[in-house]
Amino acid sequence: MALMALVRGVLVSKSFRLIFNRVQKRGVTSCIDASAGLTDEQKEFQKVAFDFAANEMAPHRAEWDEKEIFPVETMRRAAQLGFGGIYVQPDVGGSGLSRLDTSIIFEALSTGCTSTTAYMSIHNMCAWMIDTFGSAEQRHKFCPELCTMDKFASYCLTEPGSGSDAASLLTSAKLMGDHYILNGSKAFISGGGDTDVYVVMCRTGGKGAKGISCLVVEKGTPGLGFGKKEKKVGWNSQPTRAVIFEDCAVPVANRLGHEGQGFSIAMKGLNGGRINIASCSLGAAHACVELARDHLTVRKQFGETLSSNQFLQFRLAEMATRLVASRLLVRQAAVALQEDRDDAVSLCSMAKLFATDECFTICNQALQMFGGYGYLKDYPVQQFVRDIRVHQILEGKPNTNSYRNSVPHSADSCLHNSSCL
């Protein structure tokens, strides 16, 4: 038994060393290479996204965070590359790419600025919801300007009293002639106050999910107001405000789908939203692994670089393993959603839960490797930690007491929609 334990220990040690040596390599030879397994076409637009992140986002990331700048013009330049409506159909200005393609792009962009990319992912989700559930008139009215990011969108589901229990929302929409009169408020709305189009879930019927409808509310509509700009730990390059409706009259023509379909629309949007936010987590984690790797090779203590320390080698190997495992699950979920498989909802929830937890662990460990320097805002690792933390909360809040019970508290969670438990 002792011999077997010794052998296993030697094998584990060799495995860690092998992974560490592969992480030390840069470019396509690295074991964390994000282009592994992709088609030539996917590698091309991934490179475009990585280049945009490095040249247009990363140099301004710290300033956007410190000054709380919503980088509208930078996002519009991203839209010129097709990133404003990635999985929106081409006839209304979208790129018409797959969910896997979308994940690849958001992961790459997130290496430049996770906060900005996360907002772009929400904007894309809203554009997809209008494209998928809207009438021909609605699609052609809203989607072209959303895809160019001449106009920006916000997703309005959460309320002060209904977070994970989204079906209990109270914002009401009373039908009066050819308009709905909205009253109520939404909380924690990304882009709130600065964006132009609000995809709003509201109650047109009785209690529960079947009483919820989806309306598109345009900025400038009388009765539409906003709360104060929230002060946040991270995600500072996108404003967050309450969205308030006080006798806000919205045309019936702005309803997506039929009455009572809103909750289904919201949840289908969130299936992709979970993959998107998990992909943003992947980008942050990928950047942090590379930052930690580079720091270990130059920082010296006790006369040697930190990369010579076996404990830190093992830690970096663990970080790389968490990253690659998370990426594989996220991409599997993206393919399942694209193919409308029976296990798609479960996989989207699993991918969001697993990737956001593991990627935060990666970023936090990278900060630890930097020591005191990691806690300074002169070094980008701390911003990745702050920006990625909220990913474990939004898009379906998991109970992380145990993986056995860790399912998003929403109607389309693993628990309610599959036999995975």
Side-chain angles (χ1 to χ4, degrees):
M1 292 293 291
L3 179 59
M4 290 300 295
L6 178 61
V7 171
R8 282 195 295 269
V10 171
L11 292 176
V12 168
S13 177
K14 287 184 176 179
S15 297
F16 275 126
R17 285 188 177 278
L18 178 61
I19 296 170
F20 174 77
N21 290 336
R22 296 290 287 179
V23 175
Q24 286 293 91
K25 295 183 178 181
R26 291 165 173 77
V28 296
T29 59
S30 171
C31 66
I32 62 169
D33 175 26
S35 68
L38 303 185
T39 66
D40 290 341
E41 183 181 30
Q42 288 170 333
K43 290 177 181 178
E44 284 299 318
F45 56 65
Q46 182 189 55
K47 183 179 184 302
V48 170
F50 268 128
D51 288 346
F52 187 87
N55 299 323
E56 301 286 342
M57 300 175 82
H60 309 289
R61 176 177 56 221
E63 181 185 11
W64 294 343
D65 175 69
E66 182 179 359
K67 298 180 180 179
E68 299 185 2
I69 295 171
F70 192 40
V72 169
E73 294 306 320
T74 299
M75 289 189 287
R76 285 177 177 156
R77 288 195 293 275
Q80 292 174 5
L81 300 174
F83 300 156
I86 301 172
Y87 51 110
V88 172
Q89 297 179 63
D91 68 309
V92 288
S95 298
L97 297 181
S98 71
R99 299 297 186 137
L100 176 58
D101 300 335
T102 303
S103 174
I104 293 164
I105 290 168
F106 284 144
E107 178 181 355
L109 290 176
S110 190
T111 62
C113 181
T114 302
S115 169
T116 304
T117 305
Y119 169 74
M120 291 176 64
S121 79
I122 296 167
H123 171 91
N124 270 261
M125 180 179 71
C126 292
W128 174 84
M129 292 167 72
I130 296 173
D131 180 41
T132 302
F133 300 102
S135 65
E137 182 180 353
Q138 290 168 334
R139 293 177 66 244
H140 286 88
K141 176 182 179 180
F142 293 111
C143 289
E145 289 184 304
L146 292 178
C147 290
T148 59
M149 287 187 147
D150 286 327
K151 289 189 176 180
F152 295 91
S154 291
Y155 178 77
C156 301
L157 175 64
T158 299
E159 296 185 0
S162 62
S164 299
D165 184 14
S168 68
L169 65 84
L170 296 177
T171 296
S172 64
K174 304 296 184 182
L175 182 61
M176 295 184 65
D178 58 357
H179 283 73
Y180 287 101
I181 307 302
L182 268 69
N183 282 283
S185 63
K186 299 292 181 177
F188 309 124
I189 304 305
S190 293
D194 284 43
T195 50
D196 309 284
V197 175
Y198 297 84
V199 180
V200 181
M201 308 306 149
C202 52
R203 189 163 301 283
T204 55
K207 294 182 178 180
K210 293 182 179 180
I212 297 172
S213 299
C214 180
L215 300 180
V216 178
V217 183
E218 299 173 73
K219 190 174 184 180
T221 302
L224 173 64
F226 307 98
K228 67 177 180 64
K229 185 177 177 181
E230 304 289 0
K231 301 294 290 184
K232 307 188 299 290
V233 171
W235 271 27
N236 289 318
S237 69
Q238 50 169 295
T240 301
R241 294 183 178 91
V243 177
I244 303 164
F245 307 99
E246 295 179 317
D247 292 330
C248 181
V250 180
V252 172
N254 280 23
R255 187 187 68 222
L256 296 183
H258 55 74
E259 278 201 3
Q261 192 182 357
F263 193 76
S264 174
I265 292 172
M267 294 300 103
K268 288 180 179 178
L270 282 179
N271 287 335
R274 288 180 177 133
I275 295 173
N276 293 345
I277 212 67
S279 302
C280 292
S281 295
L282 291 175
H286 184 101
C288 283
V289 170
E290 293 189 328
L291 288 168
R293 175 199 65 195
D294 294 345
H295 179 71
L296 295 183
T297 59
V298 298
R299 173 70 169 164
K300 286 187 176 182
Q301 289 291 278
F302 306 105
E304 293 184 336
T305 61
L306 295 181
S307 60
S308 302
N309 183 285
Q310 187 182 64
F311 175 80
L312 294 177
Q313 291 176 3
F314 286 7
R315 277 288 178 262
L316 193 67
E318 289 173 347
M319 292 160 64
T321 303
R322 292 175 190 271
L323 171 61
V324 174
S326 297
R327 181 183 291 138
L328 291 172
L329 181 53
V330 171
R331 291 183 178 179
Q332 182 185 7
V335 171
L337 185 61
Q338 183 69 33
E339 296 175 351
D340 196 25
R341 286 171 15 197
D342 290 341
D343 61 349
V345 173
S346 298
L347 286 172
C348 289
S349 297
M350 291 175 183
K352 190 273 177 185
L353 168 64
F354 186 80
T356 57
D357 281 353
E358 294 301 311
C359 290
F360 178 77
T361 298
I362 292 167
C363 295
N364 196 44
Q365 182 60 57
L367 189 152
Q368 188 72 23
M369 287 180 168
F370 271 79
Y373 293 104
Y375 205 61
L376 301 180
K377 287 193 174 182
D378 297 316
Y379 293 79
V381 65
Q382 51 76 33
Q383 188 173 335
F384 284 117
V385 171
R386 288 186 291 109
D387 283 341
I388 202 177
R389 179 60 183 88
V390 75
H391 295 190
Q392 295 172 284
I393 299 172
L394 45 75
E395 302 286 23
K397 176 180 176 291
N399 173 358
T400 52
N401 290 334
S402 70
Y403 278 98
R404 176 75 175 105
N405 295 317
S406 292
V407 292
H409 294 172
S410 62
D412 70 333
S413 68
C414 302
L415 180 61
H416 294 295
N417 286 272
S418 79
S419 58
C420 68
L421 296 180

